[in-house]
Amino acid sequence: MEWLKSLATAGIIIGVSIGVYGVVKGVIARLIEKRMSVGNAPQPRVDTLRTLVTSLIGYLIFFIALVAVLQEFQVDATGIIASAGILGLAIGFGAQGLVSDVVTGFFVLLENQVNVGEYVTVNNFSGVVEETGLRVIKLRGFNGDLHFIPNREISSLTNHSRGNMQALVDLTIAYKENVDEVIRVLQEGCDRIGDKISGIIEGPNVLGVQSVGTSDMVIRVLAKTKNGEQWKVERELRKELKKALDEAGINLP
Amino acid sequence: MEWLKSLATAGIIIGVSIGVYGVVKGVIARLIEKRMSVGNAPQPRVDTLRTLVTSLIGYLIFFIALVAVLQEFQVDATGIIASAGILGLAIGFGAQGLVSDVVTGFFVLLENQVNVGEYVTVNNFSGVVEETGLRVIKLRGFNGDLHFIPNREISSLTNHSRGNMQALVDLTIAYKENVDEVIRVLQEGCDRIGDKISGIIEGPNVLGVQSVGTSDMVIRVLAKTKNGEQWKVERELRKELKKALDEAGINLP
Amino acid sequence: MEWLKSLATAGIIIGVSIGVYGVVKGVIARLIEKRMSVGNAPQPRVDTLRTLVTSLIGYLIFFIALVAVLQEFQVDATGIIASAGILGLAIGFGAQGLVSDVVTGFFVLLENQVNVGEYVTVNNFSGVVEETGLRVIKLRGFNGDLHFIPNREISSLTNHSRGNMQALVDLTIAYKENVDEVIRVLQEGCDRIGDKISGIIEGPNVLGVQSVGTSDMVIRVLAKTKNGEQWKVERELRKELKKALDEAGINLP
Amino acid sequence: MEWLKSLATAGIIIGVSIGVYGVVKGVIARLIEKRMSVGNAPQPRVDTLRTLVTSLIGYLIFFIALVAVLQEFQVDATGIIASAGILGLAIGFGAQGLVSDVVTGFFVLLENQVNVGEYVTVNNFSGVVEETGLRVIKLRGFNGDLHFIPNREISSLTNHSRGNMQALVDLTIAYKENVDEVIRVLQEGCDRIGDKISGIIEGPNVLGVQSVGTSDMVIRVLAKTKNGEQWKVERELRKELKKALDEAGINLP
Amino acid sequence: MEWLKSLATAGIIIGVSIGVYGVVKGVIARLIEKRMSVGNAPQPRVDTLRTLVTSLIGYLIFFIALVAVLQEFQVDATGIIASAGILGLAIGFGAQGLVSDVVTGFFVLLENQVNVGEYVTVNNFSGVVEETGLRVIKLRGFNGDLHFIPNREISSLTNHSRGNMQALVDLTIAYKENVDEVIRVLQEGCDRIGDKISGIIEGPNVLGVQSVGTSDMVIRVLAKTKNGEQWKVERELRKELKKALDEAGINLP
Amino acid sequence: MEWLKSLATAGIIIGVSIGVYGVVKGVIARLIEKRMSVGNAPQPRVDTLRTLVTSLIGYLIFFIALVAVLQEFQVDATGIIASAGILGLAIGFGAQGLVSDVVTGFFVLLENQVNVGEYVTVNNFSGVVEETGLRVIKLRGFNGDLHFIPNREISSLTNHSRGNMQALVDLTIAYKENVDEVIRVLQEGCDRIGDKISGIIEGPNVLGVQSVGTSDMVIRVLAKTKNGEQWKVERELRKELKKALDEAGINLP
Amino acid sequence: MEWLKSLATAGIIIGVSIGVYGVVKGVIARLIEKRMSVGNAPQPRVDTLRTLVTSLIGYLIFFIALVAVLQEFQVDATGIIASAGILGLAIGFGAQGLVSDVVTGFFVLLENQVNVGEYVTVNNFSGVVEETGLRVIKLRGFNGDLHFIPNREISSLTNHSRGNMQALVDLTIAYKENVDEVIRVLQEGCDRIGDKISGIIEGPNVLGVQSVGTSDMVIRVLAKTKNGEQWKVERELRKELKKALDEAGINLP
């Protein structure tokens, strides 16, 4: 009689567990897919995240059900729980960094902060993203270095590959030159070469006098460029504006 | 008989839980809306905060009620509580950063510290706010970079888009010049151009001698400007005041 | 009979709780008002602090009484306590920063460290205090920026608006000049202009030779000024003392 | 019978508690007074410390006695203990800084590290101590600023007002000068002016060649002065030694 | 009868434990080998990792089974569990760093971040990897130093031995030179010597004007090289391009 | 009968406790005295350490015995243990720094790292040790400052008063001078003056060319000196070697 | 009967404990000796480590056995365990640093990272190792200072006494000189003097042009030397190569 009741309860527990797991799994899948579709995340990433979350929840439900069933059959679960608790503490302390890596990695993926192939800066390391894992992010630096950065170390992440960029050139002019004249010459140069340099979306334009030093002044020129073209545009602007100043006989100090 | 009493108690527990949830939900909604109306927060933000708080409280009440009902039916809840406790510890340790992000994010939203479109500085990153989430804040830097900063990393936040700004120009004058004369010339220049430069609200005025070096002295000029116009005003002031000094024959060293 | 005894005990518990609450509330109110009256704290601040403390203590007493009453009626309170404990841990870990903010904010208010309108420096941010909240302090920087600093980040707080200030001017003199002569000229200049510059309370006086470099020496001049006037006085002193040196034919290097 | 025994036990518990409290209070008072008398601590400080310690111990004994008495009358104290535990954890985590402030403040007072009116440096803040509290130390900076530093932030404390100080002057001499001659001239100057400058206790004396640069060498002069007179003495020494060098025709580079 | 049942249960527990261990061991072995085969990890490393993981899991299963069996025979396991718990806490706190080292070391091995013989930079230490252990990584610096760095200190790891590298040479040219001419001469030089220098894969090419200073400008030249050849190529490029400029009569400032 | 057995057990517990305490006390005393005799530690320090350790162990044994005896008489010790536990946690968290100070202070004393009167550097503070306490170390700086540094802040400790020191003098010589000649002159000077300067134990000797700059080279001279004499020897060496160079007609740049 | 069974059980527990201790002790001894023999560790160190580990494990087994035996005789061990737990927490928190020191010290010894007499750099302190203890490492600095560094502070350790070292000399040459000529002269000088300088194992060789500045270029020369000879070799190389350049009439700028 006792046995029968216990068996029945166990059955109910297992049934409820499976049901809860099914529902939660479905909800998670829908939530992640909805979330990710906003950012146009690639399908493999969506799958990675869904698998991670559902298996985590699966383990949890399995553990609770196991304990409940054991208790139903008078098996004292204290040993199991205590062991799990000690293990949990060990994870909590020693592997804190690991859990922290995975949690941060999960959200970096979920929030679509980086995609493979984008040029980003993490802390002081810049490079093209080669892989975004749950524990580390791999960047290929400009000079060929391969940087491994644990996700938890990402205290800020700058993505250089989203949207248009600015090309900014500062020119140092001798103090004795006439300011209006210099700005006029530079603006003319900007107008003339703006179309010749590919990759420029807006400008270049002379912003004005950026600073007045003891023997020189700095004039700033700005242009909006296509993503990835900003350095080339800056180099071109420097070359062309120097020539424009040379032609107009304006000296640098 | 026993069963009936247990059922009744369970019913009462569930009823009380629902009642408490209803009351708390209403109070929260009123509190947040009152709080947010002060800062003219946009409606979507108010909704986000209300949903977050009410669902959190809902989960908590549901959990307590569940445990109480189970106990009423002699189902030993130790397993559930222990599992939840271990999970809680795991969250506490490993995902500490995540919880910290959400808590900070919640208050950054609640206190209206930033709005989308404002120009802010967080730690060493400056940019226009693109999104203020519960976990990260997204800033679009001046040169086009997109910065992701976890909320917990916000050790200070400077909002550059609230109220009028100051335009400040330091001019280095040769030591041999007469101080009173220089100040007079600059003040005259300030008076003359103050109206011509749009965006100035008050001034510009000469503050006085800021420092006396070994071969030069620094004169500081200050103007109150409309928000966002301060850099343009500074550039204009630099250009015009240099011309004023040139005309008066005052040399920089 | 059992029921009656339980009811009676519950009644006593509730009565004692209300009594304790009343007494504690009164004591708190008296303590805070006494404490705050020393620093001439504005009434709204006194009210804020009193409300915060009394409601916190109220919640605590309510919680203890609830648990005690439930136990009296054989309702097992383990579930409630466990839930509260887990919640407590969650607060302890994740929201550690929040609690820390409130505790620090409470004492910054209680100890009258800042008042709205005072000019303070917190960490590296200087500004006029716009609001001192329980979670953040808002500073309006000199250039118009609005700084939000979480209270827990206040590792030191410098208040520039309490009491008289010093105006300090360092003058660099060519090494070849006669020291006594220079000091005499400067002291005469100080005596002459001390009364003309408003805001000076004491001095200005020449302190003496601050340093002897390879080709120059630095003479320091000091004056006590009204709070907020120190920068203006410094600028005036620099201008006037430079003129005094020019008239006496003393050169800077 | 049961009640009588319980009452008796409770009486014994209360009696023992009062006794223990009395003894501990006396011991504490004696210990602190003995400790403080060594450092000549002012009486108010001794009282502050004694009150703090005895009331803390009083609360603890009261709490233990309360729990013991309640248990004696079959009132289950689990609720009280659990609540106190949760409160303790909350204090432990959130208000960690506060407890840390008080503990450090207690020892700064007990060890007589600072007295009101002394000139000290804490971290990077220097000033005259205005108040040494249990939570913050208040310093009045030289320029009039009022610094509030939480006690826990005191990672080192330098007291400039205990015992005699050194006045140290470095003089840069052209490389081509004869070393022995320069040292002789300076030592003669030191001997001549040592008595004229008040506040000097020992010296001044020429230490010797401190460094040999590419075009100059540095001679160091040292004097022991009364506390607080060191800056004045240094300024006087600089002035007088420069005159001595001028008279002897020794050039600085 | 009781004894028999207990014995039977113990047998089942032991049997299940052995079964679980066998399965888990197999799964772990397969998982690690699959994972490692992707990165072409050397076999000894695969063995190290498999041994570590399986023995850890073995100890855990053994401990749980032991406790369960003891409970079955009415031996109170509280003592064992409590001792293990205290030991666990001690490990958690004191040896936190050690556990952290091993966990990080495990993943550095698993993820194939470094191989013995590769040139890497960890924090500020660069060198050839001599050994990658579970607790420290040993680097042989360029000048012969042997660096020991605990794995937990690896906040970022840069591997310089994966894939091609860039050789980058900046040349400073006098401002007065013609930009186009200089670039032409350098590009010609690049074309001429590109084939002569072994180790170059692509380029060298002139990128353009990197910066315009007050009296000079910087021209950047870039080449893709074989791994490890970048420094030699840079030295060669510097020598050859200097000669090209000398021949063309272009001066450095 | 029950009472008698309880009394007997209590007696045994107390007896065993006293015995254990006596043995432990003796062992500790012997251990510390043996340990300290190696370093020639002064007797008061040995006494301080022995008192500290034995009283700590005494309190612990007293507490365990008290709990055991109370349990023997059916007094439920839960309240006492719980209170002690909460107190322990409070100490653990809030007074962590204090405990840490005492533990570090204990080992600094035990390991004889500093003695009163020695010249040491702790972090960035240098001075003569005035007192080494269990919580702070007091240093008297060269200029008379009194530094208080909590023991836990001692991340490294440099003792300048143990064993012989090196006097090191770097001389900058014009590039055009003949290296061998300069080294010969300096070595001759070293040989000549080595005996005249008291405090030198070995040397001085010319090490060789330390660096070759663009217009000068640096020659390094080294001597082993008695402890505390190194600065005086350096000053003497600088003076004498400069004279030697002057006589030989060797110029500094 | 009961007593007999208890006694028997206790006997078995004690027997098993002794057996386990013996086995573990033997295993530890073998493991450490095997491990250490690889690195040729001196015998005293092996003994230190073995004693430490075996006594630690001995205490643990003793504690578990004690608790088990006490339980067997119906003595409630809760008090002992609770006391031990509180002590454990106190160690965990307050003495965290101490435990951390010992654990790190243990592995520094076990892994043979340093030997007494080797020249190492820990953090920013360099010196010859005088003692490697379980809590601190003692370094004798080049100038005679004695550094005490707690083991836990060792975030990286650089051993300069393992294997051959590099001697590296950078020579700055006037820009106008012919590159090939300079390199030829230097290489000839290298070849000539390579054998004359003792301690050189390989080289010296000219690496090439390290950098091209605005008015000079830097040539790098490299040699492999015996450990400890690198500074002497560098000084010799500098002297000899300068002479070689002088003879060839090549100027430094």
Side-chain angles (χ1 to χ4, degrees), chain C residues 10-11 24 40 69 87 103 124 134 142 148 169 173 184 219 225 229:
Chain C
V24 168
N40 289 319
V69 168
L87 187 71
V103 170
N124 289 321
L134 280 170
F142 176 69
F148 295 83
V169 172
I173 307 293
R184 196 186 51 71
I219 313 286
T225 73
E229 305 280 318

Side-chain angles (χ1 to χ4, degrees), chain C residues 64 92 99 107 111 113 155-160 162 164-166 175 177 179-180 207 209-210 214 217, chain D residues 79 82-83 93-94 98 125 135-136 140 142-148 150 153 235 238-239 242-243 252-253:
Chain C
I64 296 177
V99 178
F107 280 97
E111 291 166 353
Q113 292 188 8
S155 65
S156 69
L157 189 152
T158 301
N159 195 325
H160 306 289
R162 299 265 170 97
N164 295 327
M165 302 300 281
Q166 301 271 17
Y175 186 77
E177 302 289 338
V179 188
D180 288 327
L207 265 193
V209 182
Q210 192 62 22
T214 53
M217 51 192 175
Chain D
S83 306
F93 283 108
L98 177 61
F125 298 94
R135 214 190 69 85
V136 292
R140 173 71 66 178
F142 175 69
N143 69 345
D145 288 349
L146 188 59
H147 306 293
F148 296 82
E153 301 284 341
R235 274 189 294 261
R238 269 189 222 105
K239 200 179 80 177
K242 181 185 176 297
K243 285 204 285 192
L252 276 66

Side-chain angles (χ1 to χ4, degrees), chain E residues 42-83:
Chain E
Q43 192 59 30
R45 174 181 295 182
V46 176
D47 295 345
T48 305
L49 289 178
R50 206 192 39 233
T51 311
L52 180 78
V53 174
T54 43
S55 60
L56 263 179
I57 288 173
Y59 288 134
L60 190 72
I61 291 174
F62 168 76
F63 181 78
I64 296 178
L66 182 76
V67 169
V69 167
L70 284 175
Q71 280 179 331
E72 205 50 47
F73 288 95
Q74 258 74 42
V75 179
D76 192 342
T78 318
I80 300 174
I81 296 179
S83 305

Side-chain angles (χ1 to χ4, degrees), chain D residues 98-115:
Chain D
L98 177 61
V99 178
S100 190
D101 277 341
V102 174
V103 170
T104 309
F106 176 77
F107 280 97
V108 168
L109 288 180
L110 185 69
E111 291 165 353
N112 240 336
Q113 293 188 7
V114 287
N115 285 315

Side-chain angles (χ1 to χ4, degrees), chain G residues 37-231:
Chain G
S37 66
V38 177
N40 288 320
Q43 192 60 29
R45 173 182 294 182
V46 177
D47 296 344
T48 305
L49 288 179
R50 208 192 38 233
T51 312
L52 180 79
V53 174
T54 43
S55 60
L56 262 179
I57 288 173
Y59 287 134
L60 189 73
I61 290 174
F62 169 76
F63 181 79
I64 295 177
L66 182 76
V67 169
V69 168
L70 285 175
Q71 279 179 331
E72 203 52 47
F73 289 95
Q74 257 74 42
V75 180
D76 192 342
T78 319
I80 299 173
I81 296 178
S83 305
I86 291 169
L87 187 71
L89 268 178
I91 287 178
F93 283 109
Q96 205 168 345
L98 177 62
V99 178
S100 191
D101 277 341
V102 174
V103 171
T104 309
F106 177 78
F107 281 97
V108 167
L109 288 180
L110 185 69
E111 290 165 355
N112 239 337
Q113 293 188 6
V114 287
N115 285 316
V116 168
E118 290 185 329
Y119 183 68
V120 304
T121 298
V122 176
N123 301 342
N124 290 320
F125 299 94
S126 295
V128 171
V129 179
E130 290 225 330
E131 196 185 314
T132 54
L134 280 170
R135 213 190 72 83
V136 293
I137 187 169
K138 287 192 207 169
L139 302 183
R140 174 71 65 178
F142 175 70
N143 68 344
D145 288 349
L146 187 60
H147 306 292
F148 295 83
I149 304 158
N151 286 327
R152 101 201 84 145
E153 302 283 341
I154 303 176
S155 64
S156 70
L157 189 152
T158 301
N159 195 325
H160 306 289
S161 304
R162 299 266 170 97
N164 294 327
M165 304 298 282
Q166 300 271 18
L168 185 155
V169 171
D170 277 348
L171 290 154
T172 311
I173 307 293
Y175 185 78
K176 63 178 198 294
E177 303 289 338
N178 181 289
V179 188
D180 288 327
E181 173 73 11
V182 171
I183 288 177
R184 195 186 51 73
V185 167
L186 284 173
Q187 186 61 53
E188 277 177 18
C190 285
D191 295 346
R192 203 169 55 228
I193 61 184
D195 299 332
K196 292 198 301 187
I197 307 177
S198 70
I200 288 184
I201 288 171
E202 203 183 299
N205 287 302
V206 179
L207 265 192
V209 183
Q210 192 63 20
S211 71
V212 175
T214 53
S215 65
D216 49 24
M217 51 192 175
V218 173
I219 312 286
R220 176 164 287 185
V221 175
L222 204 69
K224 193 170 244 176
T225 74
K226 286 198 198 117
N227 197 295
E229 304 280 318
Q230 65 268 34
W231 299 292

